[in-house]
Amino acid sequence: MRPWVPLEDETVEEVNGQTYGPLKALCERAAEQAMPGRNLVVRPGLIIGPHDPSDRFTYWPHRVARGGEVMAPDRPDLPIQLVDVRDLAAWLLRMIQARHTGVYNATGPSQSLTMGELLETCKQTTGSDAAFTWVPEEFLLEQQVRPWIDQPLWLPKESRGLFCTDCEKAWAAGLSFRPLGVTVRDTLAWAASRPPGTAWRAGISLDRERDLLRAWANRG
């Protein structure tokens, strides 16, 4: 487990990039102080699947399904971690029913997964003709492409430790994962059921993607 980094002002209520993690840690500490030894603390990674309004995962099945040249972030061997909300929820219920306590990192899958494997799974599942153009991090940052937002699941070098979380304890306690293709299929079906004109909260427009791909092809 990572060491706890305290907040200088523990009364702060604003949630932002600097306070989000420490505030969650304070919640864990408060629960333990109130109920010593009786807490089940679960720290999930990126939660994906149908009904996720963030679009941080949904963007990729949707974009790949449209086909054509797809801008992909940095390189295909980037490690990623994620967990289908249905797998996480089912495991949580089993843990609660069994009255387990302790701290668990809860993400997956239990075998390594890369960005390239995710995109290829999206392509195979949707049967699209997508062709991936891997654009280096330096160029993306130079073009003000926002990690995690404009290119979901992409993190710059200094933040990639997020996708290297040790979850062996949760896996040993029964956290399991459905095939990624099933999550891709179900997520895409849910996305198609949303009201027409629903705004996307992550990813970039086709026009912006086309401009970036053209700029990358014409570099130098």
Side-chain angles (χ1 to χ4, degrees), residues 35 76-77 106 197 208:
M35 301 176 290
D77 64 342
R208 171 71 168 144

Side-chain angles (χ1 to χ4, degrees), residues 22 48 71-72 81 87 138 154:
I48 66 172
M71 187 175 74
Q81 289 180 306
D87 296 331
E138 293 74 17
W154 165 53

Side-chain angles (χ1 to χ4, degrees), residues 38-80:
R38 293 188 290 142
N39 292 278
L40 173 63
V41 177
V42 175
R43 299 170 177 170
L46 178 64
I47 303 173
I48 66 172
H51 303 282
D52 173 21
S54 76
D55 291 329
R56 290 175 298 186
F57 175 81
T58 310
Y59 168 78
W60 287 116
H62 175 77
R63 175 62 192 92
V64 173
R66 298 188 71 159
E69 186 180 13
V70 177
M71 187 175 74
D74 205 13
R75 61 181 200 271
D77 64 342
L78 290 180
I80 59 174

Side-chain angles (χ1 to χ4, degrees), residues 46 48 55-67 69-74 80 82 115 118-123 126 128 130-134 140 145-146 148-154 184 187-188 191 200 202-204 209:
L46 178 64
I48 66 172
D55 291 329
R56 290 175 298 186
F57 175 81
T58 310
Y59 168 78
W60 287 116
H62 175 77
R63 175 62 192 92
V64 173
R66 298 188 71 159
E69 186 180 13
V70 177
M71 187 175 74
D74 205 13
I80 59 174
L82 34 75
M115 193 70 193
L118 167 63
L119 296 189
E120 286 296 336
T121 299
C122 291
K123 179 177 179 177
T126 62
S128 84
F132 305 114
T133 297
W134 295 90
L140 295 175
V145 176
R146 296 171 297 172
W148 200 251
I149 303 299
D150 295 330
Q151 289 278 269
L153 298 181
W154 165 53
V184 169
T187 301
L188 193 59
W200 285 82
I204 58 175
E209 180 189 40

Side-chain angles (χ1 to χ4, degrees), residues 88-158:
L88 180 63
W91 176 72
L92 280 169
L93 288 173
R94 295 194 299 270
M95 293 291 283
I96 292 168
Q97 290 167 350
R99 304 183 70 83
H100 283 289
T101 60
V103 179
Y104 294 81
N105 294 326
T107 191
S110 52
Q111 71 280 1
S112 62
L113 177 66
T114 66
M115 193 70 193
E117 290 168 338
L118 167 63
L119 296 189
E120 286 296 336
T121 299
C122 291
K123 179 177 179 177
Q124 294 169 13
T125 302
T126 62
S128 84
D129 65 351
F132 305 114
T133 297
W134 295 90
V135 179
E137 172 179 309
E138 293 74 17
F139 181 83
L140 295 175
L141 294 175
E142 176 187 302
Q143 297 295 317
Q144 299 182 341
V145 176
R146 296 171 297 172
W148 200 251
I149 303 299
D150 295 330
Q151 289 278 269
L153 298 181
W154 165 53
L155 292 170
K157 292 181 178 69
E158 64 271 15

